């Protein structure tokens, strides 16, 4: 076994991996190289694929000691894959797009995850492309919890759906004429926007039924686990604010485009730089 033979084995089997793009090619090459060094018979093919945003590799040998070595290699590269963008190979993380799990860097996540925009002519746009105009909507339906809306147009009964997971969803909901919703839901939609209150955590007027529609944190109350875990309201707000600032899932970077809610003028940040450093030590 020499380096040239291993390289031929690697390139020959690279095409046997069914993945979404080329971002994992280096990982797969290294995995195959380690397979060869571990003792895999290079005349046998190696197969793999992306599943649930993770690199999976399928092999079997009757040599149990070899199987153990291969499993360690496969586990190593599966763990690396969920930190590597499937498209470009830079640092990434597991994300969900249209209910599908995928591993992407922030730039490629933003390219694939549409952002709702409404321009001055009332055009509804996604990814800089006009989808429909508010004036052409003839009917609007809602999920029971108001977290998804379906819009119907005059043209051939077309239907478009939008979700709370998209920035500016609630801006869209507010822009749609109330008369287009079913009569039994119109009051519910109207009350949502009339009853919003300030969120002490993210600083937006976005709290509805004790939960913030923007940062998704529950409002403080003086009972249950809140008292047990935090002692007082300021401790709870401080920890939630630090989670938002750290933004481990890039939620804040994505939702910076959201214009659904008004900023609260008297919002306070309760944590200091020292608080943040101590909190990061606990997390990481």
């Amino acid at each position: 076994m020499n380096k040239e033979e291993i390289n031929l084995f690697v390139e020959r089997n690279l095409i046997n991996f069914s993945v979404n793009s080329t971002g994992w090619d280096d990982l797969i090459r290294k995995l195959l190289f380690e397979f060869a060094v571990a003792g895999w018979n290079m005349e046998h093919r190696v197969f793999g694929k992306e599943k649930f945003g993770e690199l999976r590799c399928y092999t079997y040998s009757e040599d149990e000691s070899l199987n153990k070595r291969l499993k360690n290699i496969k586990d190593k590269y599966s763990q690396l894959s969920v930190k590597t963008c499937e498209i470009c190979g830079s640092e990434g993380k597991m994300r969900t797009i249209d209910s599908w799990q995928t591993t992407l860097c922030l730039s490629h996540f933003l390219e694939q995850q549409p952002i709702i925009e409404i321009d001055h002519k009332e055009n509804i746009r996604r990814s800089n492309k006009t989808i429909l105009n508010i004036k052409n909507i003839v009917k609007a339906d809602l999920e029971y919890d108001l977290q998804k809306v379906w819009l119907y147009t005059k043209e051939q009964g077309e239907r478009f759906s939008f979700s709370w997971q998209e920035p500016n969803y609630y801006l869209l909901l507010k822009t749609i004429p109330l008369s287009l919703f079913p009569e039994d839901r119109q009051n519910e939609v109207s009350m949502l926007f009339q009853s919003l209150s300030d969120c002490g955590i993210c600083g937006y007027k976005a709290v509805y039924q004790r939960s913030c529609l923007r940062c998704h944190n529950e409002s403080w109350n003086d009972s249950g686990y809140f008292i047990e875990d935090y002692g007082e309201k300021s401790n709870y707000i401080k920890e939630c604010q630090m989670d938002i600032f750290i933004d481990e899932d890039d939620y804040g970077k994505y939702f910076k485009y959201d214009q659904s809610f008004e900023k609260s003028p008297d919002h306070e940040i309760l944590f200091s730089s020292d608080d943040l450093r101590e909190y990061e030590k606990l997390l990481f």
Side-chain angles (χ1 to χ4, degrees):
M1 180 174 64
N2 57 47
K3 189 174 181 180
E4 186 178 349
E5 288 175 328
I6 294 176
N7 288 339
L8 288 172
F9 163 74
V10 168
E11 295 305 317
R12 189 168 64 247
N13 283 278
L14 183 63
I15 61 173
N16 296 333
F17 283 73
S18 176
V19 293
N20 297 323
S21 189
T22 58
W24 286 351
D25 280 5
D26 283 347
L27 289 181
I28 297 169
R29 284 189 173 98
K30 290 174 182 177
L31 176 146
L32 290 168
F33 182 87
E34 291 194 25
F35 267 32
V37 172
W40 177 258
N41 185 340
M42 291 191 294
E43 293 182 3
H44 295 166
R45 298 167 72 186
V46 180
F47 294 90
K49 66 179 182 179
E50 179 274 335
K51 186 173 183 179
F52 302 126
E54 181 179 341
L55 178 63
R56 304 286 181 89
C57 180
Y58 303 98
T59 57
Y60 176 75
S61 169
E62 293 182 358
D63 183 338
E64 287 303 320
S65 63
L66 175 59
N67 273 336
K68 186 175 180 180
R69 294 195 295 275
L70 296 179
K71 182 181 185 305
N72 290 337
I73 295 169
K74 290 187 283 187
D75 289 347
K76 172 185 173 181
Y77 286 97
S78 287
Q79 290 169 19
L80 288 171
S81 70
V82 295
K83 300 176 183 177
T84 305
C85 177
E86 297 178 36
I87 295 175
C88 68
S90 61
E91 184 178 349
K93 59 183 64 174
M94 187 83 75
R95 307 178 193 275
T96 302
I97 297 178
D98 294 331
S99 301
W100 291 96
Q101 287 181 299
T102 183
T103 301
L104 298 170
C105 64
L106 179 61
S107 295
H108 284 114
F109 171 64
L110 293 178
E111 282 182 10
Q112 297 194 34
Q113 185 76 339
I115 294 168
I116 302 168
E117 298 175 280
I118 305 171
D119 66 20
H120 66 285
K121 294 181 179 179
E122 294 193 322
N123 291 312
I124 302 172
R125 299 167 62 83
R126 272 182 175 150
S127 304
N128 297 317
K129 179 183 177 183
T130 298
I131 304 298
L132 73 159
N133 188 280
I134 296 285
K135 297 183 181 69
N136 294 329
I137 301 171
V138 295
K139 185 177 74 168
D141 280 336
L142 288 159
E143 270 191 354
Y144 74 95
D145 54 6
L146 306 183
Q147 291 191 343
K148 191 168 187 177
V149 63
W150 292 272
L151 304 178
Y152 299 82
T153 65
K154 297 174 184 177
E155 298 178 8
Q156 300 176 350
E158 284 185 299
R159 186 176 81 161
F160 304 85
S161 66
F162 301 87
S163 163
W164 66 276
Q165 295 169 314
E166 301 171 75
N168 291 322
Y169 170 75
Y170 290 101
L171 176 63
L172 173 63
L173 211 59
K174 187 164 43 178
T175 307
I176 300 166
L178 204 58
S179 60
L180 295 177
F181 293 103
E183 286 187 19
D184 61 342
R185 307 301 303 276
Q186 290 177 14
N187 185 59
E188 190 178 357
V189 175
S190 177
M191 286 302 298
L192 183 152
F193 295 106
Q194 289 179 36
S195 62
L196 292 177
S197 58
D198 292 340
C199 177
I201 296 167
C202 70
Y204 285 84
K205 190 174 183 179
V207 175
Y208 176 65
Q209 295 182 348
R210 300 202 58 79
S211 183
C212 181
L213 298 178
R214 194 175 197 280
C215 71
H216 308 299
N217 284 295
E218 190 176 351
S219 297
W220 169 268
N221 68 67
D222 297 316
S223 62
Y225 81 93
F226 286 94
I227 296 292
E228 184 178 340
D229 287 359
Y230 299 97
E232 57 184 49
K233 182 178 180 180
S234 61
N235 293 332
Y236 173 67
I237 292 176
K238 182 193 295 185
E239 184 168 315
C240 291
Q241 286 180 344
M242 288 190 289
D243 282 334
I244 291 173
F245 185 85
I246 292 171
D247 197 18
E248 191 176 355
D249 296 321
D250 293 331
Y251 176 85
K253 295 183 184 73
Y254 179 45
F255 266 78
K256 70 180 181 180
Y257 302 99
D258 191 87
Q259 300 174 357
S260 298
F261 308 104
E262 299 173 18
K263 185 78 175 170
S264 306
D266 302 321
H267 180 241
E268 292 182 65
I269 299 296
L270 299 187
F271 66 89
S272 66
S273 56
D274 289 339
D275 291 328
L276 188 62
R277 278 194 294 271
E278 291 302 313
Y279 188 58
E280 286 178 323
K281 288 179 186 177
L282 293 174
L283 291 179
F284 307 114

